[in-house]
Amino acid sequence: MQVPFGEWLPDQPEHLKPGANVATNVYHALNTYKRFPSLVNYSTNTTVTNAKGAGSFRDNSNNIFNFVGTDTNLYQLASGTFTSRKSGLNGTATDFVTFTQFGNHVIASNGVDAPQYYLMGTSTNFANLSTIVTAGTLPVFRVSGVIRDFFVTGNHTNNTNRIQWSGINDIATWQGKQADFQDLPGSGGQIVHITSGEIGYVFRQNQIIRMDFVGGSVVFRLSVISPNRGAVYGQTVCQDNRNVFFYSDDGFYQLSGDNISPIGAEKVNRFFDLDLNKAYTDRIKAATDPFNQLAMWAYPSKANTGASGLCDRIIIYNYATKKWSLAEAQTSVIFPQFVGAFTVELMDIISENLEDINAALDTDFWNGGQMFLGAIDQNFKAAIFSGNSNECEIETAELEPFPGQRANITGVRPIVDAISTLTVKTKERIADDETASVSVNQNSSGLNPVRKSGRYIRANVKIPAGTNFTHAQGVDFIAAKAGIRWVIITI
């Protein structure tokens, strides 16, 4: 009896759900699960403390620049080494750092200190952006984006509901050339994110506003597309082209055009709400992996009781298959990262096993420029999600093989292209706690021999750390009806 793992649906009851009870350190692909890579760190030094933001950029000559911000420093990451490019910042525990590219400029801000700029290909260190302003007054802002040819800022000091934009195609002009500002009315709360593109979306805590360039004296038309739903404070919004994913007070959503879809409802919203350490909601970090069509939110779970609020879990949404999963990783920041030219020492961030690298050494691949999902790990080192050192765990839904009768399980064949261990869990009543068999290994015929009986059953499959696999699809139960005991009563 073959049973596919199905979609991870932690918000649904264990019995009769059409999907998996557990899907950890994997991500959903079409009709299968794949390994979600573990972190492989590669930097020779550290950021000393938790990262509060990161960004990866290319200049007009295709050179790569990676930056990481902490409460007190802005670092450049190059050739596996962190170099401080600005020290003495005054960020606090709940502040975060945003990096936004405008032409060859990278703008960094934390909402506390003066905004900083770095001119790629020219600058050595970050400097106050106000030093190159030629007209108007530059605000101190927390978030920013690029909409058409304007650098747009939001959440200003003493004006958390204000947006202000630069002159057209001019980061140095804040008066004239269509530069202007607007205070957003209503009770939408402070601005927490501004997306970039031909059109922009301004996320407040309880409101989403669309910005369209119309030119003339109006410059931007502002349209409220969500009057009572926005994004949670922090870095809870991520974007892949015109698809925007965000975490709101009532769950996860996707914004496509002006359509807002609830992607977490009745799937993961309740699980996440219960699992999140709410003392550190400002530490949630969202990012996309466009290559695998994944939107992710790293977050501190309730199991992480340390004072640092370090993220220890990542909830993953495949926006191609519209399915969820979970991963475990100790990190303060996740972000899409361009990797520069490789050295022999950095080759293992692509694969911990050199035999698995399928790029010839004389190809342009090793010149760098590839995008990976990057992070700053719990040791404050730069890392890439490219390893296989995590244990993957997937569990079927609970099923009743023979309605009204108990079942004898004599073995299970995992439909996984790797050697795996397996446990069978059973119970007699829906209200009972399950009992588990011993964990058994796979034999040479592909069977995990296990003997367990019960009315309701499920299989838990674990793929050991260090094991490579491509597909985990489900299990094949070897089951038979349990015998019926007859009682003869003589009258």
Side-chain angles (χ1 to χ4, degrees):
M1 180 177 61
Q2 291 191 353
V3 178
F5 287 127
E7 180 181 2
W8 182 55
L9 296 168
D11 285 2
Q12 295 301 305
E14 294 176 346
H15 187 60
L16 295 180
K17 76 165 63 174
N21 279 311
V22 177
T24 303
N25 291 326
V26 292
Y27 68 91
H28 195 278
L30 187 63
N31 299 321
T32 188
Y33 282 96
K34 294 179 177 291
R35 176 188 290 281
F36 185 77
S38 59
L39 278 174
V40 178
N41 68 57
Y42 66 93
S43 61
T44 57
N45 59 344
T46 74
T47 60
V48 183
T49 186
N50 284 342
K52 292 301 187 69
S56 191
F57 311 97
R58 284 175 167 153
D59 67 7
N60 293 341
S61 300
N62 213 34
N63 298 308
I64 293 167
F65 293 82
N66 293 317
F67 299 103
V68 178
T70 68
D71 287 342
T72 58
N73 274 272
L74 300 177
Y75 292 96
Q76 182 179 5
L77 172 63
S79 300
T81 301
F82 288 108
T83 302
S84 177
R85 298 303 187 191
K86 179 70 177 183
S87 61
L89 300 180
N90 300 289
T92 66
T94 58
D95 294 320
F96 53 89
V97 180
T98 58
F99 293 93
T100 304
Q101 181 176 358
F102 187 82
N104 268 356
H105 291 84
V106 174
I107 312 302
S109 60
N110 62 5
V112 178
D113 297 285
Q116 302 291 305
Y117 83 95
Y118 187 100
L119 182 58
M120 294 183 289
T122 300
S123 295
T124 299
N125 297 311
F126 277 91
N128 287 359
L129 179 58
S130 60
T131 60
I132 63 171
V133 170
T134 57
T137 301
L138 177 73
V140 175
F141 54 89
R142 190 173 298 278
V143 297
S144 57
V146 177
I147 303 175
R148 292 287 295 263
D149 297 317
F150 297 87
F151 185 77
V152 183
T153 70
N155 197 334
H156 300 170
T157 302
N158 299 322
N159 290 282
T160 60
N161 63 328
R162 173 173 290 185
I163 55 174
Q164 183 173 346
W165 53 91
S166 69
I168 186 168
N169 201 29
D170 190 350
I171 193 71
T173 299
W174 295 85
Q175 183 176 1
K177 296 181 70 175
Q178 296 186 302
D180 207 343
F181 72 90
Q182 177 69 54
D183 290 333
L184 303 178
S187 55
Q190 62 180 310
I191 298 167
V192 298
H193 189 86
I194 299 173
T195 67
S196 297
E198 284 294 301
I199 60 173
Y201 293 96
V202 179
F203 282 80
R204 301 173 72 183
Q205 290 172 300
N206 300 106
Q207 191 180 73
I208 304 173
I209 297 169
R210 172 174 169 153
M211 291 185 66
D212 292 275
F213 176 74
V214 294
S217 59
V218 176
V219 188
F220 283 103
R221 180 178 65 243
L222 305 179
S223 308
V224 176
I225 65 166
S226 176
N228 54 15
R229 179 175 291 114
V232 170
Y233 175 87
Q235 294 176 302
T236 59
V237 183
C238 57
Q239 179 180 7
D240 179 14
N241 294 319
R242 293 194 175 185
N243 290 312
V244 182
F245 308 90
F246 63 99
Y247 178 63
S248 185
D249 289 331
D250 60 344
F252 294 97
Y253 290 86
Q254 178 176 348
L255 171 63
S256 298
D258 288 349
N259 297 318
I260 300 174
S261 304
I263 58 177
E266 297 302 321
K267 294 185 175 185
V268 301
N269 284 350
R270 286 191 292 271
F271 165 84
F272 187 80
D273 183 65
L274 292 173
D275 196 47
L276 173 66
N277 185 340
K278 293 183 174 61
Y280 299 107
T281 56
D282 57 284
R283 308 296 171 86
I284 301 172
K285 298 293 188 295
T288 59
D289 178 359
F291 182 80
N292 293 305
Q293 295 86 50
L294 304 178
M296 295 160 286
W297 290 262
Y299 69 97
S301 74
K302 64 182 180 182
N304 182 12
T305 58
S308 67
L310 189 72
C311 297
D312 60 329
R313 283 185 165 179
I314 303 174
I315 194 165
I316 305 165
Y317 178 66
N318 184 322
Y319 47 90
T321 67
K322 304 186 187 304
K323 304 295 192 296
W324 293 86
S325 61
L326 191 69
E328 296 172 337
Q330 299 278 334
T331 176
S332 55
V333 162
I334 58 174
F335 66 108
Q337 179 186 345
F338 292 115
V339 174
F342 291 94
T343 64
V344 173
E345 290 76 13
L346 295 182
M347 289 175 70
D348 64 355
I349 70 172
I350 304 303
S351 175
E352 294 172 316
N353 184 348
L354 295 181
E355 294 180 355
D356 293 333
I357 298 177
N358 61 1
L361 295 179
D362 60 349
T363 63
D364 288 339
F365 176 89
W366 302 105
N367 293 328
Q370 292 76 33
M371 178 169 280
F372 295 87
L373 181 62
I376 305 300
D377 70 9
Q378 74 273 24
N379 298 313
F380 317 128
K381 285 193 169 187
I384 295 291
F385 285 92
S386 63
N388 64 356
S389 61
N390 48 16
E391 178 185 73
C392 302
E393 181 180 5
I394 317 173
E395 185 174 287
T396 66
E398 184 178 271
L399 62 148
E400 188 180 9
F402 308 106
Q405 294 183 250
R406 301 175 74 251
N408 287 333
I409 307 299
T410 57
V412 184
R413 297 179 188 274
I415 308 175
V416 180
D417 58 356
I419 305 300
S420 54
T421 62
L422 183 140
T423 301
V424 172
K425 300 177 181 180
T426 65
K427 58 187 180 182
E428 300 300 324
R429 300 174 301 182
I430 295 294
D432 292 342
D433 293 329
E434 75 270 4
T435 62
S437 70
V438 296
S439 179
V440 292
N441 296 318
Q442 204 166 6
N443 62 25
S444 58
S445 67
L447 181 71
N448 292 67
V450 58
R451 292 189 176 274
K452 196 78 171 68
S453 64
R455 183 169 179 177
Y456 305 106
I457 64 171
R458 46 186 157 139
N460 180 283
V461 177
K462 292 181 179 179
I463 305 168
T467 304
N468 289 316
F469 72 96
T470 305
H471 297 290
Q473 296 173 276
V475 300
D476 190 359
F477 283 105
I478 299 175
K481 291 181 181 180
I484 300 175
R485 178 175 297 176
W486 295 93
V487 178
I488 299 176
I489 301 175
T490 301
I491 299 177

